[in-house]
Amino acid sequence: MFQMKTKSMNNIDGNDMRQKAYLFTNQDLKRLIAPLIVEQILAVTVGMVDTMMVSSVGEAATSGVSLVDMINTLLINLFAAISTGGAVISSQFLGQKNRERACEAANQLLVVTGLISVVVMALAIIFRRGILALLYGSIEQDVMKNALVYLVISAVSYPFLAIYNSCAALFRSMGNSRISMQASIIMNVLNVIGDAIFIFGLHMGVEGAATASLISRMTACVILTYRLRGKDLEIHIMPEHFGWNVPLMKKILHIGIPGGIENSVFQLGRVLVVGMIALFGTTQIAANAVANNLDSLGVLPGQAMSLAMITVIGQCVGAGDFKQAEYYAKKMMKLTYFINGLCCAFVIATMPLTLKLYGLSAETLQLAAVLVLIHDGCAILLWPSSFTLTNVLRAANDVKFPMVTSIASMVIVRLGGGYILAVVLGYGAVGIWCAMVMDWIVRVICFVSRYRSGKWKTFYSVSV
């Protein structure tokens, strides 16, 4: 954990207070956040490189990859949510200066994510055709063929991806995001090289893109698992002590399951709205895929700050210092808005260049540009409070309110409103993305109100 630093706390509450220990200095935050932003950028490039390179094979291949990527994102967020549960508990133990319990939590996290990911992998492979048909209905045969191939190979990578996410979350709990960034760099370099070899060299198409991702994820998983065995780390795994610690596992799942349900329903909702878009043909599916690639770059700082929030707020809460929890929450949200706004504006400004990287029709690229404008234009004002702020609540064990709010808003506003705008009124993908913005507005109202009420401070118990 970061070393304790002593500084004046006057700027925290505006009163003359006695000297008090900061948990994090500005330099500590930079060391935590900067690698996370780099890591998030690299994580997004995996999907972007796949889509760009596969686009050279044709729109059917691009559409097939994009449909499966929506499913992959759903499952990745499930694994990430469970990893967040372990990260919250580990951060709180470090805040209590209880290193032994933090290590026990790390062991249990790997056991849980390992088992869940293997089950998910098996189900995805066995029921692959039924899953695609259930989510996307009747899609063109060429698109279905490519989607099936991509789903099977992607499923094999789920256990490696789940363990990788868990290890990365544990390193972040220690305030060490540099190591996970290094693994992410290696993973992405391998993915790009693999894509070039398998797609362009061996002409394997969608199968090549999926194989490259599988190899890169396996490598990153092995690297982080090995490095997390270091006994000098504040949190390290102990393979000889792997087993069932039911009370600790329940505490991890108490945080992780609501977040997993929330994220899974959220991503499932995104999958379902893509199913609505699929009703309008391959052009709109491909445009949606391109827009998802580009607009995600604009909100990367918010995603990085969301991860950093778990570490910072979790340790403050574990130490029982809600004054500092509030101070860092406000400080990091201001920083998120600033960087997030710059990145969204950059994505919009560079679209004339980035869209040329995709070998798709002019009609597809024109629609993609409209969707990116809707997303990143509104994200400047709405995204941080809609998503980053929720991890302040989760880090203090306030997990049910974000889950219920997110699910209700997704079902009623994004799905219900999306169906009316896209299908009933015939606006297609544009209608779906307008409903998305409406969903953000509802989330902002609810989460900002929850934070200001202070109720999130009442859920933490030192017995954790």
Side-chain angles (χ1 to χ4, degrees), residues 69-369:
D69 271 341
M70 296 294 289
I71 299 174
N72 287 343
T73 302
L74 185 156
L75 296 173
I76 289 170
N77 276 274
L78 172 63
F79 302 146
I82 297 173
S83 298
T84 296
V88 168
I89 299 301
S90 297
S91 295
Q92 291 174 353
F93 280 138
L94 289 184
Q96 297 175 19
K97 300 188 180 302
N98 193 336
R99 180 177 174 181
E100 182 178 351
R101 292 285 282 164
C103 293
E104 291 177 12
N107 271 26
Q108 292 305 301
L109 176 60
L110 295 189
V111 171
V112 170
T113 52
L115 291 175
I116 292 176
S117 61
V118 169
V119 172
V120 171
M121 175 191 72
L123 293 175
I125 293 175
I126 294 171
F127 300 107
R128 56 191 180 278
R129 186 175 293 273
I131 291 172
L132 291 171
L134 176 64
L135 294 175
Y136 301 116
S138 179
I139 57 178
E140 297 176 15
Q141 188 60 38
D142 286 348
V143 175
M144 175 63 81
K145 179 181 177 181
N146 284 291
L148 286 170
V149 171
Y150 197 72
L151 177 57
V152 170
I153 300 176
S154 294
V156 177
S157 74
Y158 293 161
F160 301 103
L161 195 56
I163 297 298
Y164 165 80
N165 281 334
S166 296
C167 292
L170 292 170
F171 276 112
R172 289 193 295 268
S173 294
M174 294 181 275
N176 189 344
S177 56
R178 180 175 54 85
I179 291 178
S180 59
M181 179 193 71
Q182 293 170 347
S184 182
I185 291 173
I186 294 172
M187 179 169 64
N188 281 271
V189 169
L190 287 177
N191 186 71
V192 172
I193 294 173
D195 277 337
I197 293 173
F198 295 132
I199 296 176
F200 298 123
L202 301 179
H203 305 289
M204 293 172 62
V206 168
E207 183 180 357
T211 302
S213 294
L214 170 61
I215 293 173
S216 64
R217 289 167 178 173
M218 290 174 63
T219 304
C221 173
V222 171
I223 291 172
L224 285 192
T225 303
Y226 177 78
R227 298 201 68 171
L228 199 58
R229 295 183 62 181
K231 301 294 184 181
D232 58 324
L233 298 174
E234 287 187 292
I235 299 177
H236 58 268
I237 56 174
M238 302 170 286
E240 66 276 12
H241 294 148
F242 274 124
W244 297 99
N245 185 328
V246 176
L248 190 52
M249 193 175 292
K250 285 182 178 179
K251 291 168 183 174
I252 293 173
L253 293 178
H254 172 74
I255 305 295
I257 286 180
I261 293 173
E262 175 190 339
N263 288 340
S264 296
V265 171
F266 179 79
Q267 294 301 327
L268 178 60
R270 295 188 66 194
V271 171
L272 293 177
V273 297
V274 171
M276 297 182 202
I277 293 173
L279 298 173
F280 295 88
T282 302
T283 296
Q284 294 218 10
I285 297 175
N288 187 73
V290 172
N292 277 327
N293 279 169
L294 293 180
D295 66 43
S296 60
L297 293 174
V299 298
L300 286 177
Q303 294 173 353
M305 295 300 286
S306 295
L307 297 174
M309 283 286 194
I310 293 296
T311 298
V312 175
I313 306 303
Q315 289 196 25
C316 291
V317 169
D321 194 336
F322 283 95
K323 280 283 187 183
Q324 291 204 55
E326 288 183 329
Y327 167 68
Y328 287 118
K330 293 175 182 177
K331 182 173 184 175
M332 295 172 73
M333 284 299 296
K334 290 178 181 178
L335 181 60
T336 303
Y337 265 104
F338 176 72
I339 303 177
N340 194 75
L342 291 179
C343 289
C344 287
F346 178 79
V347 169
I348 293 172
T350 57
M351 267 199 301
L353 297 176
T354 53
L355 287 175
K356 292 180 180 179
L357 298 174
Y358 296 87
L360 303 173
S361 67
E363 181 185 1
T364 299
L365 296 180
Q366 184 178 7
L367 177 58

Side-chain angles (χ1 to χ4, degrees), residues 25-57:
T25 65
N26 288 337
Q27 191 61 36
D28 291 331
L29 294 177
K30 289 178 183 177
R31 285 197 296 265
L32 173 64
I33 295 168
L36 284 176
I37 293 177
V38 174
E39 184 179 347
Q40 290 302 303
I41 292 173
L42 292 172
V44 169
T45 60
V46 173
M48 291 187 68
V49 169
D50 281 348
T51 303
M52 289 177 181
M53 292 190 175
V54 169
S55 68
S56 65
V57 184

